Amino acid sequence: MATRFFRRYKYALLYGVALAMLLFLLKWLEWRFIIFDHALEVYSGALAILFTGLGIWLALRLSRPKVSTVIIEKEVPAPAPEVPAVAPAASDTAPATPIPDEKQIALLGLSAREIEVLQGMAEGLSNQEIADRLFVSLNTIKTHTSRIFEKLDVRRRTQAVEKAKRLRIIV
Amino acid sequence: MATRFFRRYKYALLYGVALAMLLFLLKWLEWRFIIFDHALEVYSGALAILFTGLGIWLALRLSRPKVSTVIIEKEVPAPAPEVPAVAPAASDTAPATPIPDEKQIALLGLSAREIEVLQGMAEGLSNQEIADRLFVSLNTIKTHTSRIFEKLDVRRRTQAVEKAKRLRIIV
DNA sequence: TTACGGGTCATACTTTCGGGTGATTTTGGC
DNA sequence: GCCAAAATCACCCGAAAGTATGACCCGTAA
């Protein structure tokens, strides 16, 4: 069928259509404003939009609202096979007790920032995209991911997400 | 004392100073090239400040307070039956339908083989591991993953897994 | 018979991930 | 003010993932 063709050249087709629409829009605007001289209004509008965007960007960039972590304990009747595997990882902080503190098991020593990164991972974002969202560099995210993998005792992001969801660390 | 104050409001101060310098620069330029009609510049500046403030206000108002909820799984001494590890975790994503949604699969045109690969992906396996499990070559898995990404309209395996689980294609 | 979808495999290439290491800055508690 | 933890950023390097393209085989439906 033509589905394969469409699938293969989907983006090319989309790009073509988008370009056509954009050209049409430009033509329309040209016609629209050739009559009236709305230069000042357009200028003001552009300025307003630009600086509103700047303000939003600034606020998001500079304000780091405290991430309040709400901890809800939930009793689970079925001890998953992975839970014992978690224990040795947490045993770094509490090696004495054979059954470490529940909070340490659950949190695994994950910081708030690491959970944010984990959340991004779970949404299927790349490290670069997570970096952009959190306004930090790619290297920082890589450091965070490394520590997350360490603490969760996994080696790949897919495993981390799977485990984090299973442990209800993230939704 | 003053250091603490400076530290706390560092960015605000920086922003203020920067703004002041910018205004000064504008004034200087204005004086440099004596043009009587300063109305536009003043108007622009006022507009810029106003809408920057608006943007900041908007961002602060609209950005929801980030509250990360951590649910702690607490083991209960009561021994549980031999439940597969996946089952309890899947209960939160698919409480109603334990079986995959056939309609979604048919709708997306995913083949049986592709579902198998997708399943492997969801378990956090690497392409090589999936290849070994299905007794095919690594390149074959890569081809499958590419087609899966096409059909699911995603670009990364993490996104594919996220979407597949959301659509109940896999458990 | 031919066209097509599905499965398989390959090469060559670019991009992203992840490990390892070291460093500085920021933050929060004492 | 001091200190430890957290957060940030950098560089290198190998591995894995993903893109693009072409090819072959095999059923099946037109």
Side-chain angles (χ1 to χ4, degrees), chain A:
Chain A
M1 242 191 290
T3 57
R4 194 162 200 160
F5 172 83
F6 178 75
R7 241 175 224 154
R8 174 161 301 187
Y9 299 103
K10 179 163 68 172
Y11 292 109
L13 287 171
L14 278 176
Y15 179 58
V17 171
L19 204 57
M21 286 176 66
L22 186 63
L23 282 176
F24 175 77
L25 182 67
L26 282 176
K27 268 295 169 201
W28 181 78
L29 284 175
E30 196 175 295
W31 172 80
R32 192 80 172 75
F33 288 105
I34 205 161
I35 304 172
F36 315 100
D37 188 16
H38 286 160
L40 184 61
E41 282 80 355
V42 172
Y43 174 70
S44 300
L47 214 61
I49 292 174
L50 182 69
F51 277 89
T52 302
L54 175 67
I56 291 176
W57 180 80
L58 270 174
L60 290 179
R61 178 79 171 84
L62 299 183
S63 83
R64 196 166 305 157
K66 294 92 186 175
V67 180
S68 58
T69 305
V70 178
I71 300 175
I72 302 171
E73 296 204 5
K74 181 178 183 177
E75 303 208 346
V76 180
E82 275 69 17
V83 173
V86 167
S91 66
D92 298 323
T93 53
T97 44
I99 303 174
D101 187 10
E102 283 85 354
K103 289 185 178 180
Q104 290 183 4
I105 295 176
L107 287 175
L108 295 165
L110 285 169
S111 70
R113 199 57 160 173
E114 284 163 354
I115 291 183
E116 282 185 281
V117 174
L118 201 48
Q119 193 73 52
M121 264 197 266
E123 292 171 34
L125 302 179
S126 68
N127 284 339
Q128 184 61 64
E129 287 166 338
I130 299 173
D132 293 341
R133 171 192 283 193
L134 300 182
F135 299 111
V136 294
S137 85
L138 173 61
N139 291 309
T140 304
I141 299 300
K142 288 171 79 169
T143 304
H144 282 314
T145 54
S146 287
R147 303 198 72 78
I148 291 171
F149 296 157
E150 237 178 66
K151 291 176 180 177
L152 285 181
D153 193 29
V154 296
R155 308 196 69 75
R156 277 181 291 277
R157 55 177 45 232
T158 45
Q159 289 177 342
V161 169
E162 198 263 346
K163 190 159 192 172
K165 287 196 175 182
R166 187 148 35 75
L167 295 179
R168 308 284 171 80
I169 292 173
I170 53 174
V171 284

Side-chain angles (χ1 to χ4, degrees), chain A residues 76-81, chain B residues 75-85 88:
Chain A
V76 180
Chain B
E75 283 188 66
V76 179
E82 319 290 309
V83 182

Side-chain angles (χ1 to χ4, degrees), chain B residues 99-110 167-169:
Chain B
I99 54 170
D101 195 339
E102 308 288 346
K103 288 183 179 179
Q104 283 293 341
I105 295 175
L107 197 62
L108 293 170
L110 286 168
L167 294 179
R168 308 263 200 276
I169 292 172

